Amino acid sequence: MDYTALYQPIPLSNGTLLALLVLAIPLLNFVWLIFFRKRKVELLGWVASGFMLGSVLAATLIFWWVWWGEPLHSRALWFEIPVARFTYPFTVGIHIDQVAALMLVVVTFISGLVHVFSVRYMEHDEDYARYFALLGLFTFAMLGIVVMDNLLLIFIFWELVGVSSYALIGFWHRRPAAIQASTKAFLMNRVGDVGFIISLLILWSQFGTLDLQTLEYLMQQSVFTEEGVWLSYFRVNNLLIENAAPVGWLTVAGLGLMLGAIGKSAQFPLFTWLPNAMEGPTPVSALLHAATMVAAGVYLLLRVFVLLDTTTLTTIAVIGSVTALIAAITALVQHDIKKVLAYSTVSQLGYMMVGVGTGAYQAAFFHLVAHASFKAGLFLSAGAILHSMAHLQENTSQPEGFNSQDMRWMGGLRTRMPITFVVYVITAAALVGIPLFSGFLSKDAILNGALGWAASQSPEVVSWHWILPMLAFTTVLLTALYMGRQVLLVFFGKLRATESTNRPVAWQPSWMMRVPLIMLALLSFGIVYSINPFLTDKSWLLQGLTTKLPAVPGNSLDYVKIAAEAIDWHQVTTIVALGASLLGLLMAYGLYRPTGKKHRLYHTQPDYQNQFIAFFAQNWYLDQLYQAVLVRSAVWLGEAGRWLDRRVVDGMLHSFTMLAVIVAHILAWLDHTLVDGIVRGGAASFSRLGNLVRSVQTGRVQTYLVASLLLFIALLYWLTQF
């Protein structure tokens, strides 16, 4: 097939025009809020929310067309790169398949609810307009990642997500902690982006394109030789083009894309930025953790799934399972209500990575969609709690060290905030994976895939691959334990903060905050995704998705067979996972029940009871490791460079300068004494000679006759001597 045929322009259709509208609405939201931010505060929030409602409706219509129809695709030529006797055309386009269509709905819907929730949550903030403007920019960037058909364009929006998240995490820029958190998030994501850029360079050099559909087609045409060479070939204007590279570069390209996803989706070892990102407003945390930034990494791997080889996929599965366990353990020792949820997000993203790495493509996306609703519900519920706790702090005199986000000051909120309590319990049950809730179905699908993958990897003998599903099931138990702990500490027992009867606190959030909570709670029920909420394979989401398989030539794993065998593990998965969840909840109740000693004395518990807990609470000392190995090394290298610059480079320059000055003085002396002396001496001699000659030239004839006579006599005398 001719290479240029893959780049033929595809005109805009009604569907792609509507997709452009979905993409443009948040951008328009950002622009008008920047220029009209002096308007009435409440009006700004309402108008911004209205913008997002329009985007949600348009995204829903696109989903209706694509899910039960054909993908939408439009493409145009952007620029051309001439090479020898032909040119590489570079295109820009929109491609919306089933995954992208549903992702559009998820992003716009969650963003819309966050907008509505924020109208009241942020109403007293002096930077109200800037907040909504940044929400619009953030949503625009994520939607760009969703709909673009080209890896370079995806990378551009990928970086825009990083910039807007930097602005939102550091929104309260007068707080030093917020500035540090936003800087940390930005820099750690740039580490992952280095891998992304390397992958782009490898794929471009091998195929001459970054268009995803073209990459998939050309990857299928690639071959591996026995000498370990990766060959790709295609025709351009009847000219056969062949590119060759060591086969290892394919793995490097896949690992580079994985590294980009690790940074954005906060996976081991680059996950330490996400808990610090809680310094931003709580609705921002909901948007970050549910449907935008952290989901972008998993979504990228789903988009490039067909380009990943077995080594890359196995590495993704290992990192995902390790991250899920590490983050779950860390969540157990946190006191900050938002940090518990933050580490929970890291852990659930690890599950999604396990799904991608084990070939459970559909299960990973299912969990991404389900997680968006219940995690947004948890964060917005936490936001409602913190909103009330902040009012409590303003209206009462609290003891020294009071922290409105610290669970050690909470308790008994079940009776004060009943709607928030119900929403929290429902969304927490979905997170834990209790039957009848969405998390049960999506997590069950991932665990099925992990077991099927492990079984296919070790058909005859037990291999290390079984460790991954074991870690995943252990994480199920830990998830139930830390969520049960949080619910019992926050909503049961007695309020440990001081509550005044003279100035009562309005604990119930306003209806604009309650409506998004209720909607997210409803979406956390399993019936939304499956008529039978106990059977994952009956889910309309899994049944409607087209199975994707790696297009890498010579792939050693049969992912079709793995997917078929995964169904056989359904009963084992359900029994073990449900047992682990119930055991975790029972352990949480036994440790933190309202009448228990640990619950009653929780408010007196120090940050770190011992070094063992401190190790887990402080990100397993990864930040300290980075500080010691990377930061200090960089500082040491900087100091060494500074010393070399001052002592060696500047010293050499100073020495050369001194030498030049000495030489200049010597040359000046030589010039002044010798050269100028010769010149002045010659001039003086000629001057004296001139004076002498001038003294002879008297102008008197008789003098000249006497001189001539004397010379003649002298000449005669000299001649007579011979």
Side-chain angles (χ1 to χ4, degrees), residues 344-352 367 371 431 443 479 482:
S344 171
T345 297
V346 175
S347 183
Q348 297 305 305
L349 289 167
Y351 272 119
M352 299 174 206
H367 197 52
H371 177 265
L431 174 60
K443 195 176 293 185
T479 303
Y482 69 69

Side-chain angles (χ1 to χ4, degrees), residues 305 308-311 313-314 317 354-363 444-459 463 465-466 468-469 537 547-550 555-570 573:
F305 182 77
L308 305 178
D309 66 346
T310 302
T311 302
L313 290 172
T314 303
V354 171
V356 174
T358 57
Y361 172 90
Q362 293 138 307
D444 186 75
I446 289 178
L447 294 173
N448 281 346
L451 287 172
W453 175 82
S456 67
Q457 294 275 30
S458 52
S463 68
H465 299 88
W466 285 99
L468 269 62
D537 56 339
T547 302
K548 284 193 175 183
L549 299 173
N555 211 36
S556 60
L557 285 182
D558 186 352
Y559 288 99
V560 174
K561 182 180 178 182
I562 292 175
E565 292 179 350
I567 301 175
D568 299 335
W569 292 94
H570 171 68
T573 298

Side-chain angles (χ1 to χ4, degrees), residues 313-624:
L313 290 172
T314 303
T315 306
I316 291 171
V318 171
I319 289 178
S321 59
V322 170
T323 304
L325 182 67
I326 287 176
I329 294 173
T330 309
L332 277 172
V333 296
Q334 299 299 317
H335 300 299
D336 188 306
I337 186 174
K338 289 173 65 177
K339 284 193 175 181
V340 174
L341 299 178
Y343 284 108
S344 171
T345 297
V346 175
S347 183
Q348 297 305 305
L349 289 167
Y351 272 119
M352 299 174 206
M353 290 288 190
V354 171
V356 174
T358 57
Y361 172 90
Q362 293 138 307
F365 182 63
F366 186 9
H367 197 52
L368 189 154
V369 173
H371 177 265
S373 57
F374 61 69
K375 185 51 64 70
L378 285 168
F379 266 107
L380 292 184
S381 297
I385 293 170
L386 298 181
H387 197 256
S388 299
M389 292 293 290
H391 285 176
L392 176 66
Q393 185 176 9
E394 292 172 0
N395 296 329
T396 58
S397 177
Q398 297 296 334
E400 185 179 354
F402 176 81
N403 184 348
S404 60
Q405 295 186 190
D406 197 324
M407 295 188 297
R408 287 172 292 190
W409 296 98
M410 300 178 189
L413 300 185
R414 173 174 54 89
T415 56
R416 294 171 174 83
M417 308 177 72
I419 295 178
T420 304
F421 167 69
V422 172
V423 171
Y424 212 95
V425 169
I426 291 173
T427 50
L431 174 60
V432 171
I434 301 300
L436 299 179
F437 298 97
S438 60
F440 171 79
L441 296 172
S442 59
K443 195 176 293 185
D444 186 75
I446 289 178
L447 294 173
N448 281 346
L451 287 172
W453 175 82
S456 67
Q457 294 275 30
S458 52
E460 298 179 358
V461 295
V462 177
S463 68
W464 66 267
H465 299 88
W466 285 99
I467 297 176
L468 269 62
M470 290 173 60
L471 294 179
F473 281 110
T474 304
T475 306
V476 171
L477 185 148
L478 295 175
T479 303
L481 179 56
Y482 69 69
M483 286 310 299
R485 166 183 178 264
Q486 188 179 57
V487 170
L488 289 168
L489 291 174
V490 173
F491 293 101
F492 290 86
K494 295 181 179 180
L495 180 66
R496 289 175 284 274
T498 303
E499 186 175 16
S500 174
T501 56
N502 298 327
R503 303 179 66 184
V505 176
W507 288 98
Q508 284 287 18
S510 68
W511 69 268
M512 287 191 68
M513 296 170 68
R514 279 180 282 178
V515 168
L517 296 181
I518 294 171
M519 295 181 70
L520 291 168
L522 293 175
L523 288 174
S524 299
F525 284 97
I527 194 68
V528 175
Y529 301 97
S530 176
I531 297 176
N532 187 337
F534 293 97
L535 293 177
T536 300
D537 56 339
K538 298 299 181 183
S539 167
W540 60 265
L541 196 155
L542 291 180
Q543 292 179 343
L545 283 178
T546 302
T547 302
K548 284 193 175 183
L549 299 173
V552 177
N555 211 36
S556 60
L557 285 182
D558 186 352
Y559 288 99
V560 174
K561 182 180 178 182
I562 292 175
E565 292 179 350
I567 301 175
D568 299 335
W569 292 94
H570 171 68
Q571 291 184 347
V572 174
T573 298
T574 302
I575 293 172
V576 176
L578 184 58
S581 297
L582 294 177
L583 178 60
L585 292 175
L586 287 174
M587 291 173 63
Y589 182 78
L591 291 171
Y592 297 99
R593 63 186 184 277
T595 57
K597 182 179 179 181
K598 197 172 183 64
H599 185 108
R600 287 185 284 106
L601 298 179
Y602 178 67
H603 68 286
T604 62
Q605 185 173 325
D607 288 340
Y608 311 122
Q609 292 174 292
N610 51 56
Q611 290 297 321
F612 187 68
I613 291 179
F615 174 75
F616 295 133
Q618 297 189 50
N619 291 321
W620 299 51
Y621 289 147
L622 283 173
D623 284 330
Q624 288 83 342

Side-chain angles (χ1 to χ4, degrees), residues 181-200:
S182 60
T183 303
K184 183 178 181 180
F186 187 82
L187 293 178
M188 294 193 76
N189 273 271
R190 300 294 74 74
V191 174
D193 292 348
V194 171
F196 200 154
I197 293 172
I198 291 173
S199 298
L200 295 182

Side-chain angles (χ1 to χ4, degrees), residues 59-72:
T60 304
L61 185 56
I62 292 173
F63 169 74
W64 183 266
W65 288 344
V66 174
W67 193 263
W68 289 278
E70 296 295 327
L72 300 173

Side-chain angles (χ1 to χ4, degrees), residues 123-445:
E123 61 184 342
H124 298 300
D125 197 283
E126 60 182 11
D127 289 323
Y128 189 84
R130 180 169 65 90
Y131 170 82
F132 279 97
L134 291 174
L135 283 187
L137 182 63
F138 198 10
T139 306
F140 165 72
M142 184 61 197
L143 290 174
I145 293 176
V146 172
V147 302
M148 289 296 134
D149 68 345
N150 189 292
L151 277 176
L152 179 60
L153 296 172
I154 290 174
F155 181 74
I156 292 171
F157 282 98
W158 182 273
E159 293 302 294
L160 185 56
V161 165
V163 171
S164 51
S165 65
Y166 169 81
L168 281 170
I169 294 171
F171 178 76
W172 287 317
H173 51 83
R174 293 177 181 84
R175 300 179 182 178
I179 296 299
Q180 292 174 2
S182 60
T183 303
K184 183 178 181 180
F186 187 82
L187 293 178
M188 294 193 76
N189 273 271
R190 300 294 74 74
V191 174
D193 292 348
V194 171
F196 200 154
I197 293 172
I198 291 173
S199 298
L200 295 182
L201 295 175
I202 293 173
L203 293 173
W204 173 265
S205 64
Q206 191 71 358
F207 297 113
T209 180
L210 294 175
D211 182 90
L212 283 169
Q213 285 191 305
T214 308
L215 283 174
E216 180 178 353
Y217 172 79
L218 295 178
M219 182 69 81
Q220 292 171 337
Q221 311 306 312
S222 299
V223 294
F224 295 153
T225 67
E226 294 181 356
E227 292 77 20
V229 178
W230 173 27
L231 296 176
S232 65
Y233 51 90
F234 46 86
R235 290 189 177 276
V236 179
N237 300 327
N238 295 321
L239 180 66
L240 182 64
I241 307 299
E242 182 179 284
N243 292 323
V247 69
W249 284 112
L250 175 65
T251 302
V252 173
L255 293 176
L257 292 169
M258 180 198 72
L259 183 60
I262 286 175
K264 197 71 76 180
S265 288
Q267 296 295 285
F268 179 85
L270 301 178
F271 70 89
T272 59
W273 67 267
L274 192 56
N276 296 98
M278 299 301 98
E279 292 295 334
T282 304
V284 169
S285 302
L287 196 57
L288 271 170
H289 289 252
T292 51
M293 185 172 181
V294 295
V298 176
Y299 181 76
L300 173 68
L301 294 180
L302 294 174
R303 290 292 299 272
V304 301
F305 182 77
V306 296
L307 306 177
L308 305 178
D309 66 346
T310 302
T311 302
T312 302
L313 290 172
T314 303
T315 306
I316 291 171
V318 171
I319 289 178
S321 59
V322 170
T323 304
L325 182 67
I326 287 176
I329 294 173
T330 309
L332 277 172
V333 296
Q334 299 299 317
H335 300 299
D336 188 306
I337 186 174
K338 289 173 65 177
K339 284 193 175 181
V340 174
L341 299 178
Y343 284 108
S344 171
T345 297
V346 175
S347 183
Q348 297 305 305
L349 289 167
Y351 272 119
M352 299 174 206
M353 290 288 190
V354 171
V356 174
T358 57
Y361 172 90
Q362 293 138 307
F365 182 63
F366 186 9
H367 197 52
L368 189 154
V369 173
H371 177 265
S373 57
F374 61 69
K375 185 51 64 70
L378 285 168
F379 266 107
L380 292 184
S381 297
I385 293 170
L386 298 181
H387 197 256
S388 299
M389 292 293 290
H391 285 176
L392 176 66
Q393 185 176 9
E394 292 172 0
N395 296 329
T396 58
S397 177
Q398 297 296 334
E400 185 179 354
F402 176 81
N403 184 348
S404 60
Q405 295 186 190
D406 197 324
M407 295 188 297
R408 287 172 292 190
W409 296 98
M410 300 178 189
L413 300 185
R414 173 174 54 89
T415 56
R416 294 171 174 83
M417 308 177 72
I419 295 178
T420 304
F421 167 69
V422 172
V423 171
Y424 212 95
V425 169
I426 291 173
T427 50
L431 174 60
V432 171
I434 301 300
L436 299 179
F437 298 97
S438 60
F440 171 79
L441 296 172
S442 59
K443 195 176 293 185
D444 186 75

